[in-house]
Amino acid sequence: MKIRKIKVSKNMYNIKNWGERYYQISKFGSILVYPNPNNTENFIDLFELTKNTKISNKKYPYTVSFPQILKNRVKLINYCFKRAKKKYNFFGKYIFVYPIKVNQNHYVIKSILSTKYTVGLECGSKAELMAIYSFAISKKTIIICNGNKDTEYIKLALIGKKIKYKVYIVIEKIQEIKLILQSINDISLFPHIGIRVKLLEEKKYNKEEKNSFYNKYKFGLSIRDIVKIVRFLRRNKILKKLDFLHFHIGSQIFDIKYIRKSIKECVKFFIEISKLGIEVHYIDVGGGIAVDYSGIRNHQSSKNYEMQEYANCIVKYIKNACQENRLLFPTIITESGRTITAHHKVLISKVTFTERSRYKKILSINKQSKIIKLFWKKKKNLIQSIKTEKKLMDGIDEIEKWFQKLQKKYKNEKIDIFTMNLVDQIYKNFFHSIFKIFEKMHIKNRKIQEKIEKEIAEKMHVNFSIFQSLPDIWGIKQIFPILPIHGLNEKLSNRSILVDNTCDSDGIIKKYVGNGNIKKTLLMYDYNINNPPVIGFFMIGAYQDILGNFHNLFGKTKNFIVKISRRKKLKIKQISSNDKISDMLNFTNINYKNFINNLENKKNKNDLEEKNKIIRYIKSFLKKSTYLE
């Protein structure tokens, strides 16, 4: 029976697809983490990990990072391109370049660089370039400088070349070539140069995206600007310094057909620029490959292709272009940062309070007011009349009309608060009753199902901040896999909606990964509110750390790095702590010390002991976490 329930959980949370074998459910109903999916003997039980002495005495929320997953992802993308090169007889090289904007944390960059593969790094600002220099990187490592540039940025890049790093300055605006020539006089060194090409294809990768017109103009040089730059370089006899083409084909591209279209355009430009006498050594197609956050395949939070198909597409078109036009094979570069980092990090927290939504019998209905008797009778008759899908829809419409009329009466002070309380319970009871009917009738109407589930859903308050830990949920309506990390061998019977600690109406999660589609409620096992579940928020390794903000002054959470040895021994290291209340006040330049000084200087001989007690409490309070304890 338990095995059957585990199978239901696997299907319901779609873990097989988005987990990509890094995350699975154990026979005991807990989440297992496989840092190397090919080694099925080495795994970490996520729920047991929370009981580890190095973690168990730490309060929620916290994040757990698995650097071995990062290394495995780097290995996987290199393996896919190796296979693609072999399949299409492509004899050029492939280099994965990590754009550090995706996650600039030290352990992330260090883990990615510590593989046996040649890995490059990409920056988009002066600060990011300085961060890259801070690593003891190999002289073979290619460094790509993107973003808007001033003289200082260019000089810093030239200094990198002077200390023997392979630094490419990618021109994105026509005036940057003049800044480069000005900087050469100070550094006495000419840089490696690349150009970022603005693609003509107007992309609409995201079905909900309405500003694709503006995205078309965000990155790169127009054909007109590129022709000007080529003429300028030729005139100054430095055209040979240009040997790097950079493209931005998009981000989180869920459909492979858009990747094909963009790569075809990249290849077309490669051929045309080669005709101008430019020998291209590097083609950087940027990122584009999507992360499968939901496993649904036909949704923008997912993808309809595998990494191997992505690699095959790029290698095939570039190889054919070289062969048909007798061009030298360039080195192919991709900057798929999101797909490398997303899987490695999990946010873990606990439910602090649950607003239950259960069927509650109305006692002594005959003794209730006339309004309650009528509404109760209406509910009963509607339930009894439901025999078809149409009757079900009519019943929902009718009960809502009644409920809205009674709400209006309450607002107009025609019924009191106690009567309204009973009205609300009868309304909820209706949806609890028809949900059983809905399931028995096997109706496949998603709109009806979502309406009923939303009405009967419980509200689970979880100790975290969406704006700090999952800002993309708020900012771009990103979907992340969310589920309890234990109890998955129990029957999934409760519908829930998760809300965070913040005092903001947007601090609520409205979409959840479901079986075959996106759900508006999270399916949970029936738990004791005195022993609430531990919730895992998965796939948060890309962008969330850096984009997180301090709404309501909820600070950063502590982070643990977890590794597992070949002998199955865990190595746990805490690399950051929760921000304290004092940290948040300092961040906002609030001088709380004046408040303490005023208390200390306050003259009150009668209550001296009480005053000192208050001061001690406030000082200890400032050292506490911003989250609930």
Side-chain angles (χ1 to χ4, degrees), residues 14-25 31-44 69 72-73 75-76 79 292 297 306 343 539:
N14 226 357
I15 194 168
K16 184 180 178 182
N17 288 337
W18 63 258
E20 293 198 36
R21 299 193 300 142
Y22 295 109
Y23 299 99
Q24 297 181 38
I25 300 176
I31 296 292
L32 301 181
V33 184
Y34 291 84
N36 179 1
N38 294 324
N39 185 354
T40 55
E41 297 298 316
N42 260 21
F43 58 84
I44 301 160
I69 292 180
N72 186 265
R73 298 297 290 174
K75 180 181 177 181
L76 179 62
Y79 175 72
D292 196 348
R297 304 297 181 187
E306 300 299 332
H343 300 78
M539 310 278 284

Side-chain angles (χ1 to χ4, degrees), residues 296-313:
I296 293 173
R297 304 297 181 187
N298 62 347
H299 192 272
Q300 62 230 25
S301 65
S302 185
K303 60 179 180 179
N304 65 359
Y305 57 93
E306 300 299 332
M307 191 183 286
Q308 188 62 64
E309 194 175 353
Y310 168 79
N312 288 351
C313 174

